[in-house]
Amino acid sequence: MSFIIFTIFIPITTTLTTYLHPVVLVVLFFCLLVVNLAIYLFLTNQQVMVRRPYLIGAFILYTLSLLVLLFMRPSEPAYDNSNLVPFETISLYLSGNAGWFVSFYNLAANVGLFVPFGVLLAFWTRSFLIRAFLPFALIFCIEISQLLTNRGSLDIDDLILNVLGFYIGYALVPFVRKIVLIK
């Protein structure tokens, strides 16, 4: 099912490779596969057993892929702007003044790509303070790194959306616990 959906949307998703690293297609397919598998397991009331080393390896690969997406863009546009006004970029995307695909991808990716980290962090610690503030610290470091390396722009809205992704990941933990057994 994942392969069919991915193939249907190839004409649309390949446009992402014009301004993002081609690894975006691998990340999209992986995310689609995981979501479809999770829905299937949930609907059929089944669990999958995952060995901890494989889970850690998958998260390392996912993290490396995400870093490639964040810092290695083929078109190398000049990033000399910053947005420190909350919801300015989000409003631009929701207003319809930007292309629908760019708007959808930026909003969905900024939230969705960080959901797995929220799930992982929720499994890793029960500390409210760590869960509340570590996502802000991590995303802030990414935003500052993008600014300093000129590989992205400092945008408060990216921070807001990425942290929202972490928090959605926290909310999905009960669902994940029903379908994943870590050994």
Side-chain angles (χ1 to χ4, degrees), residues 7-169:
T7 304
I8 290 169
F9 287 101
I10 280 277
I12 296 171
T13 56
T14 53
T15 61
L16 292 173
T17 61
T18 59
Y19 66 97
L20 292 174
H21 195 280
V23 78
V24 69
L25 297 176
V26 175
V27 172
L28 281 172
F29 181 76
F30 176 76
C31 292
L32 188 60
L33 180 68
V34 168
V35 168
N36 279 325
L37 179 61
I39 291 169
Y40 172 78
L41 291 170
F42 185 77
L43 292 176
T44 59
N45 201 25
Q46 295 183 51
Q47 276 190 321
V48 64
M49 183 176 28
V50 180
R51 295 185 183 274
R52 188 175 303 273
Y54 295 133
L55 186 63
I56 291 168
F59 267 99
I60 289 170
L61 284 173
Y62 183 76
T63 302
L64 292 173
S65 298
L66 193 57
L67 289 172
V68 166
L69 288 177
L70 292 171
F71 292 100
M72 297 179 186
R73 298 179 181 174
S75 59
E76 299 299 332
Y79 290 102
D80 57 356
N81 61 340
S82 298
N83 171 36
L84 299 176
V85 179
F87 303 105
E88 185 174 285
T89 306
I90 295 170
S91 296
L92 170 72
Y93 290 142
L94 294 176
S95 70
N97 291 330
W100 74 269
F101 183 71
V102 171
S103 297
F104 174 77
Y105 174 77
N106 278 294
L107 292 172
N110 273 310
V111 174
L113 290 175
F114 288 89
V115 169
F117 294 107
V119 172
L120 180 67
L121 189 57
F123 272 96
W124 179 60
T125 183
R126 296 193 187 275
S127 169
F128 173 77
L129 289 176
I130 291 174
R131 286 186 186 184
F133 297 110
L134 187 60
F136 283 100
L138 291 173
I139 302 305
F140 180 76
C141 288
I142 289 171
E143 290 296 317
I144 292 298
S145 297
Q146 284 183 319
L147 178 69
L148 295 176
T149 61
N150 205 27
R151 295 296 195 154
S153 59
L154 175 66
D155 193 336
I156 190 74
D157 289 348
D158 286 351
L159 179 109
I160 292 167
L161 293 169
N162 296 164
V163 169
L164 177 63
F166 268 88
Y167 290 167
I168 290 171

